[in-house]
Amino acid sequence: MSDTQTQTIPSHNLLVGAWVPGMPHLLKESKSYAQLAKAMESIGHQWAQAGVKQILFFSTQWRSVLGHMFLAGPDAAGIHVDDNWYDLGDISYQLNFDPKLVEDCAHAAEIRGFQTKVIRYPGFPIDTGTLVAHNLILKGARQHHPDHSFKVGAVSCSIYSDYLDTFELACSLQAVLKDQGTPTGVVVVSLLSGRTLSDDFGEVPEQIASQADEIFNQECLQAIDHADIDHLKSLVETKGGASCADMGLRGLAFLEGLGLWTATQGGQLMAYGPIHGTGGAVISFG
Amino acid sequence: MNQTQNPSDERSGLPMGLGRKGLKSQDGQIVSGWLAPHPPHLVYGENPPQNEPRSQGGWETLRWAYDRCRARIATQKPDVIIVHTPHWQTCVGHHLLGINQLSGVSIDPIFPHLFRFRYQVNCDVALSEAICQEARSRGLKSKLMKNPNLRVDYGTIVTLHMMNPNWDIPVVVMSAHSSPYFFDQRRYDDEMVELGIATRQAVIQSGKKVVLAASNSLSHRHFDYEPDPSCPEDMSREHIYSHSQYRWDMEILQLMAQGKMDQLLSKLPEFVTEAKAEVKAGGLMWMLSAMGFPRTPATVYGYGSVIGTGNAVVEWNPDFKKSSHQSLI
């Protein structure tokens, strides 16, 4: 990304968002998941074009209990094995962190009353979802910008937060992310319905685990597209439990709190499909 | 491997379901089963050399309970410890570690400031394979994990360290099938009963002396904040999350200590719902099933809270007089 390109980005585009699934199946060369994987790569391509240089991840696979944790480093490279899908192979990764961005976010959240902990332990087990999302987005970014890289940071998903808490957490981060002058992508790693198939990988055709889950997913996608925030909340409340909505879809609260999903600005669906029975969607925001 | 029985020792254990007359000297046996919770705080409080963070202690009542557990296990001299862990969740069936040795650094993703532990786990792959085969023969989905790069979960490591800090007994590690979170508890409990029977059969055929560990807390609602981040071991800030949770824990422990197995089993579903009990993950049901749902009173070695959750170290021994599992399946 050249400086010229960076300077042409309008200020309202300094913050962009994406909702992506984080299942390791997406890293396989499989036509079942090709559409989802390509859409994630496409996000990376678009962001590289737009000069996005840093990504803040919010993954429902990194869960915290005591407040929120903020992952600030150190830079990490290695091999990760998903403890569920270890047969799908090792996941190679290299992450370069932006500690200042993460520390500023944690500080802003603390001022808002959240208990925070900045994490900087070598070997910290970064969750599968964050690594899958980073790898595919980076792959897309490098299709036309071979040297492109993203500085990263991550915020944990507190199991005791609800939609409102998560919304408020994100509100506290909005000014930091918008004011720091570097185009930033926010990636929410989450599923829609979270129920998996009960058969092993490859044993049965890929499909959403149940018809009810499929209906739930379609209704959620429509609410996201139409920017119907109240309806989305109502869907989660009435049907989310039965469809194992991934952490109550609080990833949407994170995007809403950052001003990326508003009553006048829906998300743009780029791909949707089953991943071992769960509902995977790639949606861009902002 | 112990191939002889000491008839004078009621607690030495016999293969479940066989009774004394059915025992063959070469048969394996389950010598004890433990409720063995895994808060990393217990390792942190102990300061073993493998764990990087240092503490001033803390959570002593539970650590003293584990001291007695360690002493018991030293007298039981098991060939293998089998642990069922809720922090290795698998979507499709029940998995077992299938690698002879796994090593690395385990960092708890939830409490990384307390637990960064260098481990080396030696697995009894033959027994893992036998349990896997038995489980399959009983209609369960089960498989061996053979990826050498897998990081062993902290629940497994904490429980195994607290039971046997010398790490000199081979282990079998079993995952928790995540179906209770996707389907219903009853269906899952049925699976865990079957998995317990499969485990027992494999143990009998192995000829080995085995200790079982259900790596679970009791009530499981945590604090959602750290009372004093500068001193996590400040015990003046530690207490059970609520009186309701405490009462639930006491009721369940009393049933265990009185050997009231039927009442315990009938109370567990409500306990899971009302106290968010971690036994939902299935380890306790698996262990009790493997032991034939013993009606002998369990021994409660200690109880304590860890960031609000209720935890107890409890031992069951085989019930020689009555093997009731068949009527409970």
Side-chain angles (χ1 to χ4, degrees):
Chain A
M1 188 66 220
S2 71
D3 290 338
T4 312
Q5 282 172 291
T6 304
Q7 286 161 9
T8 60
I9 297 171
S11 60
H12 66 270
N13 276 352
L14 281 175
L15 193 60
V16 287
W19 169 287
V20 302
M23 299 280 273
H25 305 60
L26 298 167
L27 298 175
K28 284 185 68 75
E29 297 287 333
S30 164
K31 65 178 182 183
S32 298
Y33 314 113
Q35 198 188 1
L36 287 164
K38 287 286 175 206
M40 289 167 72
E41 291 171 25
S42 176
I43 294 271
H45 173 63
Q46 288 172 15
W47 285 5
Q49 291 279 75
V52 171
K53 291 181 175 173
Q54 54 193 25
I55 295 176
L56 185 68
F57 288 95
F58 175 89
S59 170
T60 58
Q61 293 180 35
W62 182 26
R63 297 176 187 180
S64 57
V65 169
L66 304 173
H68 288 84
M69 290 192 280
F70 289 74
L71 185 60
D75 290 350
I79 286 173
H80 170 79
V81 176
D82 184 78
D83 55 8
N84 210 327
W85 308 107
Y86 49 80
D87 278 351
L88 295 178
D90 300 348
I91 301 171
S92 299
Y93 65 91
Q94 179 166 354
L95 296 179
N96 299 313
F97 285 83
D98 184 337
K100 183 170 187 318
L101 172 73
V102 177
E103 285 159 12
D104 288 350
C105 285
H107 183 60
E110 205 166 272
I111 288 171
R112 191 82 167 225
F114 289 94
Q115 189 176 56
T116 65
K117 195 179 284 289
V118 177
I119 302 298
R120 300 182 199 83
Y121 299 116
F124 181 82
I126 300 166
D127 67 279
T128 299
T130 294
L131 298 178
V132 168
H134 177 262
N135 282 5
L136 286 171
I137 289 170
L138 184 62
K139 183 180 175 187
R142 287 181 171 172
Q143 280 169 0
H144 298 287
H145 305 266
D147 298 327
H148 197 87
S149 64
F150 297 106
K151 293 281 189 181
V152 302
V155 185
S156 69
C157 178
S158 165
I159 63 170
Y160 291 130
S161 285
D162 57 14
Y163 195 96
L164 183 60
D165 283 337
T166 310
F167 171 80
E168 287 181 354
L169 173 76
C171 286
S172 73
L173 310 183
Q174 188 179 154
V176 174
L177 294 172
K178 283 191 168 168
D179 294 349
Q180 38 90 39
T182 303
T184 301
V186 173
V187 174
V188 165
V189 182
S190 178
L191 299 165
L192 294 171
S193 62
R195 190 192 324 276
T196 58
L197 298 173
S198 52
D199 295 285
D200 211 348
F201 180 73
E203 283 183 351
V204 290
E206 188 59 85
Q207 59 185 355
I208 298 291
S210 76
Q211 185 63 24
D213 291 359
E214 173 65 30
I215 292 168
F216 173 75
N217 292 339
Q218 292 296 343
E219 289 177 338
C220 287
L221 289 172
Q222 195 170 39
I224 293 167
D225 177 47
H226 293 178
D228 193 343
I229 295 170
D230 287 340
H231 185 52
L232 189 282
K233 290 179 189 170
S234 166
L235 280 170
V236 171
E237 204 167 295
T238 56
K239 300 181 179 178
S243 290
C244 301
D246 191 0
M247 295 304 284
L249 304 193
R250 71 188 61 162
L252 283 165
F254 198 74
L255 292 164
E256 187 191 348
L258 289 170
L260 290 166
W261 186 47
T262 68
T264 56
Q265 180 183 298
Q268 185 191 348
L269 179 65
M270 299 175 72
Y272 165 74
I275 311 171
H276 208 87
T278 64
V282 179
I283 309 168
S284 70
F285 293 85
Chain B
M1 197 154 85
N2 179 24
Q3 295 194 342
T4 59
Q5 300 299 323
N6 176 4
S8 66
D9 182 4
E10 281 292 308
R11 294 194 136 187
S12 66
L14 293 171
M16 296 295 84
L18 290 180
R20 284 180 183 281
K21 286 181 181 174
L23 179 68
K24 299 171 192 165
S25 62
Q26 72 273 23
D27 283 339
Q29 55 183 300
I30 295 167
V31 291
S32 61
W34 295 80
L35 185 62
H38 56 256
H41 305 64
L42 304 182
V43 171
Y44 171 69
E46 184 179 277
N47 290 314
Q50 298 100 319
N51 199 36
E52 187 189 332
R54 297 286 100 184
S55 73
Q56 303 167 52
W59 302 278
E60 277 76 8
T61 53
L62 280 165
R63 293 199 287 115
W64 293 334
Y66 264 120
D67 283 344
R68 293 193 286 278
C69 165
R70 290 168 176 179
R72 282 285 295 161
I73 288 173
T75 65
Q76 291 167 348
K77 296 184 171 35
D79 301 303
V80 185
I81 299 174
I82 306 180
V83 60
H84 184 277
T85 173
H87 288 286
W88 180 21
Q89 272 199 17
T90 47
C91 296
V92 182
H94 309 271
H95 300 208
L96 298 100
L97 293 184
I99 300 275
N100 287 324
Q101 189 177 88
L102 288 155
S103 59
V105 176
S106 173
I107 301 179
D108 180 349
I110 296 174
F111 306 107
H113 55 308
L114 307 182
F115 191 78
R116 304 191 296 279
F117 189 97
R118 188 164 292 283
Y119 67 89
Q120 181 176 304
V121 175
N122 296 311
C123 297
D124 184 332
V125 177
L127 184 55
S128 301
E129 201 156 7
I131 295 170
C132 191
Q133 290 296 337
E134 283 288 341
R136 286 178 182 167
S137 73
R138 301 191 75 84
L140 300 175
K141 287 183 182 294
S142 182
K143 71 177 181 183
L144 287 184
M145 195 300 301
K146 288 184 176 284
N147 189 323
N149 295 320
L150 183 89
R151 197 188 306 239
V152 179
D153 72 282
Y154 77 91
T156 293
I157 292 169
V158 171
T159 287
L160 287 172
H161 179 81
M162 295 311 292
M163 295 180 82
N164 175 36
N166 295 327
W167 291 87
D168 54 358
I169 303 170
V171 302
V172 168
V173 178
M174 304 172 74
S175 75
H177 185 198
S178 53
S179 70
Y181 304 96
F182 296 144
F183 300 104
D184 65 86
Q185 189 73 40
R186 177 64 188 270
R187 173 173 157 183
Y188 185 58
D189 287 345
D190 290 346
E191 270 192 39
M192 298 314 289
V193 170
E194 288 295 329
L195 188 65
I197 297 168
T199 302
R200 176 176 59 232
Q201 293 303 330
V203 168
I204 290 170
Q205 287 159 22
S206 74
K208 292 172 182 170
K209 205 170 161 185
V210 169
V211 163
L212 306 181
S215 177
N216 289 138
S217 294
L218 293 171
S219 63
H220 204 234
R221 188 73 162 79
H222 304 74
F223 300 156
D224 56 8
Y225 64 96
E226 191 158 37
D228 181 0
S230 68
C231 184
E233 61 269 38
D234 179 350
M235 289 296 100
S236 71
R237 314 294 289 273
E238 180 62 80
H239 59 82
I240 192 72
Y241 183 82
S242 69
H243 183 55
S244 166
Q245 274 202 185
Y246 179 76
R247 289 185 62 195
W248 264 110
D249 289 344
M250 290 306 112
E251 184 175 349
I252 293 297
L253 285 173
Q254 196 167 31
L255 293 174
M256 291 173 174
Q258 292 173 344
K260 293 182 176 174
M261 186 56 65
D262 291 340
Q263 289 100 316
L264 175 65
L265 294 174
S266 67
K267 272 286 175 190
L268 283 179
E270 196 183 352
F271 178 49
V272 166
T273 303
E274 297 298 323
K276 308 287 180 204
E278 200 179 26
V279 296
K280 180 184 180 84
L284 180 64
M285 188 65 77
W286 156 78
M287 182 182 73
L288 294 175
S289 168
M291 300 186 73
F293 295 101
R295 267 127 170 104
T296 48
T299 305
V300 179
Y301 287 87
Y303 172 83
S305 69
V306 179
I307 59 161
T309 63
N311 299 272
V313 179
V314 183
E315 180 187 15
W316 281 264
N317 297 111
D319 181 354
F320 303 126
K321 294 174 185 167
K322 188 173 183 183
S323 181
S324 57
H325 71 277
Q326 291 296 347
S327 62
L328 289 160
I329 295 167

